[in-house]
Amino acid sequence: MPLQQVLAKRAWLPTKCSTRSVRAARTCGIVPRAFMTKHDAAELTTVVERFVAAVNAHDVEGLCTSMSQNVVWSDRVWCSCDLVGLKKVRRVHQELFAAYPDFTLHTEELLAREDSNTAALHFTARGTCFGEWRGFPPSGRRSTFSGVSLFTFDPERNDVIKQVVTYRQPSQEEYVLYLGHEDL
């Protein structure tokens, strides 16, 4: 009997699979249960909406309550490396809210799927630089930029964000600070 038929007849696969068994199962077109955790799209959407509300309220602790202690935050405009851990994510948002006291996120679109552990947020951000940002003095410039953030949730829990990857335009200050000129 071919391996695929044998595996198809098995009613279960262990939740903790070795790399070799996962590769073998995938070769046969089978994905182990540990990788198939079903998430409720409405719950994922609610967590991201709470995240946006916390950002708009400049509530750093509220923002952090939905994140894993080992959250990975990727925003290549802010930093060339990932921010790993809640402590670093907290610090960056404290600095952001101090520099941009009127910073807000507007949700353009929010998508989550039943068969995934991810949600995508298309946003527009606005804020005026009234405080020091990245060691540079306040500029008084109003910035508007848009982007997409992909939120990956813990496979076992709908309410814990384990990774945020953001693709966005730079703000007005970031154009000047990182690129050396304003006209882009």
Side-chain angles (χ1 to χ4, degrees), residues 150-167:
L150 303 175
F151 295 83
T152 304
F153 290 79
D154 185 302
E156 302 301 321
R157 295 183 55 192
N158 285 344
D159 61 340
V160 177
I161 299 167
K162 69 176 194 172
Q163 183 177 23
V164 181
V165 179
T166 300
Y167 303 95

Side-chain angles (χ1 to χ4, degrees), residues 90-141:
R90 180 181 287 116
R91 191 183 80 235
V92 166
H93 281 87
Q94 287 169 337
E95 292 172 7
L96 173 70
F97 298 149
Y100 292 85
D102 61 343
F103 184 85
T104 59
L105 280 181
H106 174 73
T107 300
E108 301 294 340
E109 191 167 5
L110 176 56
L111 303 169
R113 291 178 27 163
E114 294 287 337
D115 62 345
S116 176
N117 65 338
T118 59
L121 171 69
H122 176 209
F123 66 87
T124 299
R126 291 181 179 86
T128 309
C129 186
F130 288 126
E132 183 179 307
W133 179 243
R134 303 283 180 178
F136 289 87
S139 68
R141 287 189 184 97

Side-chain angles (χ1 to χ4, degrees), residues 56-103:
N56 289 337
H58 296 198
D59 178 9
V60 177
E61 293 310 312
L63 167 87
C64 292
T65 58
S66 59
M67 293 189 195
S68 162
Q69 287 294 322
N70 298 321
V71 65
V72 177
W73 191 289
S74 300
D75 183 335
R76 292 298 179 251
V77 176
W78 271 354
C79 185
S80 61
C81 59
D82 295 340
L83 301 175
V84 179
L86 210 47
K87 185 177 178 181
K88 290 180 182 179
V89 171
R90 180 181 287 116
R91 191 183 80 235
V92 166
H93 281 87
Q94 287 169 337
E95 292 172 7
L96 173 70
F97 298 149
Y100 292 85
D102 61 343
F103 184 85

